[in-house]
Amino acid sequence: MPQITSANARKYKVGLIQMKMGPSPEANLETALAKVREAAGRGANVICLPELFRAQYFCQREDTQLFDLAEAIPGPSTARIAEVARETGTVVIASLFERRAAGLYHNTAVTLHTDGSIASVYRKMHIPDDPLYYEKYYFTPGDLGFKAVDTGFGRIGTLVCWDQWYPEGARLTALQGAETLFYPTAIGWHPAEKEEFGAAQYDAWQTIQRAHAIANGVYVAGVNRVGFETGDVNGNRPKIENGGPGLEFWGGSFLADPFGRIIAKASHTEEEILIAEINPTLLEDTRRNWPFLRDRRIDAYGQITQRFIDMPTSLEHK
């Protein structure tokens, strides 16, 4: 694909698919493909699906049978999605449970070109391990690094969900020339926490991503699922004592512009397809006025690769 520069950049539209997932992976895939077609019909050029859209969010418990959901990349799902990408002439970002080898699995986002070929494979780098989000059991941390890729519409970067909380990932992807960062996501409220902490949790999630947009002068898209799920996969339901009370995925998918402004936002309760415009000229203008990349002190950031900067103890001073 040719390099996209400010000289030849043009406006294009993204489609952010916020959807509910049922117990059947095959039905979820069919729904997703239908929504890709709908987004394309509404003018979207680059379309992003939510994280692990083929199933209800299964990481609410640890169950070896659920590894059977994983598949090779390329594989059956990428083949189906590729057909729709070719049919609609769109770029599609799809988040899949990747089987790399026996006992080795990743949470992976695949970007497909308009001809159905694979443009990029990104393996989720940051893996959470929280109540009802037991991802470390299923997913090996990514080993492909952060990356941006040229498409027929613009240069984009893809990260996944928990990556949202790490400015380093956004920065390294933006430094490779990405003008839009996509975050396929599965994040929601614990029902017992929603009343007390729900509004603050969503606000923090949106705020950190708006900050990525501002700090890097890029568009940022958070693409979440919606609805209440217990992790039912083809009738494989968690036991109450192991599965917990389920999760209410909070939706709220959005696109922020390089100034951090929310230019499209979905509800917390409904399936929606957001269509919004990417304007590379706005990115250029924003960076000219806020030249954060120009003013970075790259000579002073060497310690960023340390886990923590330990201060010397008082005895070490003597």
Side-chain angles (χ1 to χ4, degrees):
M1 287 289 173
Q3 178 73 29
I4 304 297
T5 69
S6 59
N8 63 13
R10 60 181 178 82
K11 297 178 183 178
Y12 57 94
K13 291 183 178 180
V14 297
L16 313 182
I17 295 176
Q18 177 170 293
M19 59 181 282
K20 295 180 179 179
M21 284 65 173
S24 168
E26 178 61 26
N28 292 330
L29 178 58
E30 289 294 337
T31 297
L33 296 177
K35 290 183 181 295
V36 169
R37 291 186 177 96
E38 181 182 346
R42 293 171 55 190
N45 307 115
V46 181
I47 301 168
C48 185
L49 291 157
E51 182 184 17
L52 301 172
F53 66 90
R54 288 189 65 248
Q56 287 198 6
Y57 184 72
F58 54 88
C59 304
Q60 297 183 50
R61 82 279 197 183
E62 298 178 354
D63 183 343
T64 56
Q65 294 184 47
L66 293 172
F67 286 106
D68 292 339
L69 285 169
E71 59 183 285
I73 295 176
S77 289
T78 53
R80 298 276 299 282
I81 298 163
E83 291 177 5
V84 177
R86 287 192 295 270
E87 171 193 325
T88 58
T90 58
V91 171
V92 180
I93 300 166
S95 170
L96 300 170
F97 187 10
E98 178 190 6
R99 182 189 183 278
R100 184 176 178 184
L104 184 60
Y105 305 86
H106 295 280
N107 187 336
T108 300
V110 182
T111 302
L112 294 105
H113 282 307
T114 57
D115 63 1
S117 63
I118 292 178
S120 175
V121 174
Y122 170 79
R123 292 173 176 146
K124 186 174 180 177
M125 294 285 282
H126 303 97
I127 311 297
D129 187 47
D130 286 333
L132 304 188
Y133 294 91
Y134 301 117
E135 294 199 14
K136 280 185 167 61
Y137 180 78
Y138 294 100
F139 307 129
T140 302
D143 56 359
L144 298 176
F146 304 100
K147 57 177 66 178
V149 62
D150 286 322
T151 74
F153 304 102
R155 189 165 176 82
I156 65 174
T158 302
L159 301 99
V160 178
C161 200
W162 195 241
D163 293 326
Q164 286 154 342
W165 302 101
Y166 297 87
E168 298 89 348
R171 176 72 88 198
L172 288 169
T173 309
L175 286 177
Q176 296 176 57
E179 59 194 18
T180 306
L181 305 183
F182 290 89
Y183 289 88
T185 298
I187 191 168
W189 292 300
H190 293 200
E193 295 180 357
K194 180 181 178 181
E195 182 175 355
E196 183 176 359
F197 301 110
Q201 289 171 343
Y202 176 79
D203 184 64
W205 176 76
Q206 187 187 87
T207 298
I208 189 70
Q209 292 177 88
R210 291 177 63 199
H212 298 331
I214 297 166
N216 296 289
V218 296
Y219 289 86
V220 171
V223 189
N224 197 14
R225 62 174 69 198
V226 70
F228 181 81
E229 298 181 15
T230 60
D232 183 346
V233 179
N234 282 330
N236 178 359
R237 301 179 179 88
K239 297 178 182 178
I240 295 299
E241 62 269 23
N242 296 326
L247 292 168
E248 181 185 349
F249 291 92
W250 64 46
S253 303
F254 70 92
L255 180 72
D257 75 5
F259 212 68
R261 296 170 293 199
I262 302 298
I263 57 177
K265 181 179 178 296
S267 74
H268 290 298
T269 58
E270 303 301 322
E271 292 186 297
E272 296 183 47
I273 299 176
L274 297 180
I275 308 293
E277 184 176 81
I278 303 298
N279 182 356
T281 300
L282 176 62
L283 184 151
E284 182 85 16
D285 290 344
T286 302
R287 287 186 176 180
R288 287 177 180 179
N289 287 282
W290 278 356
F292 300 142
L293 299 187
R294 181 198 69 187
D295 294 341
R296 292 176 65 238
R297 287 294 306 277
I298 58 174
D299 57 310
Y301 300 154
Q303 290 177 304
I304 197 68
T305 59
Q306 297 183 35
R307 179 69 64 186
F308 186 78
I309 302 172
D310 295 296
M311 299 299 294
T313 66
S314 57
L315 288 177
E316 290 174 326
H317 281 299
K318 296 181 179 178

